[in-house]
Amino acid sequence: MDSDAANDKGILKDEQPSAAASPTATASARSLFIEDLHVYYGAIHALKGLDVEVNQGEIVSIIGSNGAGKSTLLRTISGLVRAREGHIYAYDEEITNLKPHLIVQKGIVHCPEGRRIFTNLSVIENLKLGAYCRTDNEVASDLESVLDIFPRLRERINQNAGTLSGGEQQMLAIGRALMARPKVLLLDEPSLGLAPNLVMEIFKIIKRINDEGTTVLLVEQNAHRALEIATRAYVLETGRIVLQDTGKALLTNPKVREAYLGG
Ligand code: ATP
């Protein structure tokens, strides 16, 4: 974080990243490495020089208010929005502004906000669409693994996706992303609009997916849950990282508590 960023209008302006959050990984352990990323929508400067890294095996959470730039970050990593400046590397290979399907083929898979499932297709058809970029012959066994993670989807396998509950649709969106065999799963607001018991279930599933070997970059407005589950986390304010640390440390940080955790 540069001094300009630290002095930006954000509520965390006096904070500096702690030693615990300093980049310690060797390049080979890095799943994603984002350097000085700038993104614009016309005249709107949505991301203002972001530096973010995600190491193999981590859950990294990005928290921040509405409009901070969280979704823009994920959309830029997955090639849906163009970076004007800066670099994005996946496993040391530059992926900045590659076409989205090429980024999926490199194992970086986006589960977007709002689920974006195909409501006129069945559960199984949606899941199979997640594997459309794959050419290997393990799609059927991966489908079984996904249905093991989401027994509710197995029960509704031939049901039209539009008839699923909100929680089930979220599970389907995550299941479809898993069908692309991600090395890094980009999850945008997976708990949005869900009842508290389903929020808990979704976060347990995210933990399980991570425990089974998938690195996760998670964007969430449910800051409490996002920090609880995170190895490390970043706080984003108006397009800048204003704070980074372990999830545990940010949970007890007074400024984070005041601004994002309801005191
Ligand atoms: P939310 O949680 O509300 O989705 P966010 O942190 O994900 O917020 P972004 O959606 O990334 O924030 O938006 C960052 C900034 O970019 C905001 O000022 C937003 O209004 C602007 N923005 C996002 N998408 C577009 C777009 N398609 N066209 C123009 N401006 C956009």
Side-chain angles (χ1 to χ4, degrees):
M1 182 172 66
D2 61 31
S3 57
D4 280 355
N7 289 331
D8 197 34
K9 285 190 169 176
I11 48 115
L12 302 167
K13 61 189 175 188
D14 297 322
E15 210 65 45
Q16 295 294 321
S18 79
S22 305
T24 51
T26 59
S28 60
R30 276 183 200 145
S31 297
L32 286 175
F33 182 59
I34 296 161
E35 197 176 28
D36 195 26
L37 186 67
H38 289 262
V39 174
Y40 291 74
Y41 296 102
I44 298 170
H45 194 175
L47 298 184
K48 301 167 183 160
L50 257 55
D51 295 322
V52 171
E53 78 183 67
V54 180
N55 301 316
Q56 185 71 34
E58 287 187 317
I59 297 179
V60 171
S61 293
I62 311 278
I63 64 166
S65 316
N66 278 334
K70 305 181 298 299
S71 297
T72 300
L73 173 61
L74 295 197
R75 285 194 219 119
T76 312
I77 295 169
S78 59
L80 300 171
V81 170
R82 285 189 74 75
R84 188 179 294 180
E85 282 176 53
H87 303 276
I88 304 170
Y89 301 90
Y91 299 96
D92 299 332
E93 195 183 339
E94 181 145 23
I95 60 164
T96 323
N97 296 334
L98 285 186
K99 291 206 161 67
H101 72 279
L102 296 177
I103 295 174
V104 171
Q105 282 173 354
K106 291 184 189 303
I108 314 302
V109 181
H110 189 178
C111 182
E113 182 179 349
R115 297 152 202 163
R116 308 281 158 83
I117 57 165
F118 296 97
T119 51
N120 292 330
L121 299 181
S122 68
V123 167
I124 190 155
E125 286 167 337
N126 269 278
L127 289 174
K128 284 182 175 170
L129 276 174
Y132 77 101
C133 279
R134 289 176 57 178
T135 52
D136 61 278
N137 54 14
E138 291 174 23
V139 173
S141 64
D142 282 357
L143 180 61
E144 279 306 305
S145 308
V146 167
L147 293 173
D148 285 345
I149 297 175
F150 301 104
R152 287 171 187 235
L153 297 184
R154 190 188 288 283
E155 287 164 20
R156 293 160 177 75
I157 189 116
N158 293 313
Q159 204 169 309
N160 200 313
T163 65
L164 300 178
S165 70
E168 289 159 358
Q169 291 192 2
Q170 185 60 66
M171 291 174 193
L172 181 55
I174 297 173
R176 184 182 56 185
L178 291 178
M179 286 301 295
R181 230 184 218 197
K183 292 185 200 157
V184 183
L185 181 60
L186 311 177
L187 277 174
D188 195 345
E189 302 276 5
S191 78
L192 193 71
L194 301 185
N197 60 331
L198 279 170
V199 172
M200 273 182 63
E201 196 173 335
I202 290 288
F203 274 89
K204 271 191 198 153
I205 287 166
I206 296 168
K207 184 78 177 74
R208 174 172 172 183
I209 291 167
N210 177 249
D211 286 344
E212 291 179 3
T214 305
T215 301
V216 175
L217 178 58
L218 170 69
V219 153
E220 259 292 337
Q221 282 198 33
N222 187 333
H224 196 274
R225 293 266 175 227
L227 294 179
E228 254 177 2
I229 201 175
T231 324
R232 293 182 303 108
Y234 295 83
V235 180
L236 191 55
E237 277 183 11
T238 56
R240 295 186 203 275
I241 301 293
V242 293
L243 188 59
Q244 57 178 302
D245 212 325
T246 61
K248 204 173 167 189
L250 290 179
L251 266 177
T252 54
N253 179 301
K255 290 180 178 175
V256 173
R257 291 185 69 84
E258 188 187 343
Y260 298 102
L261 302 172

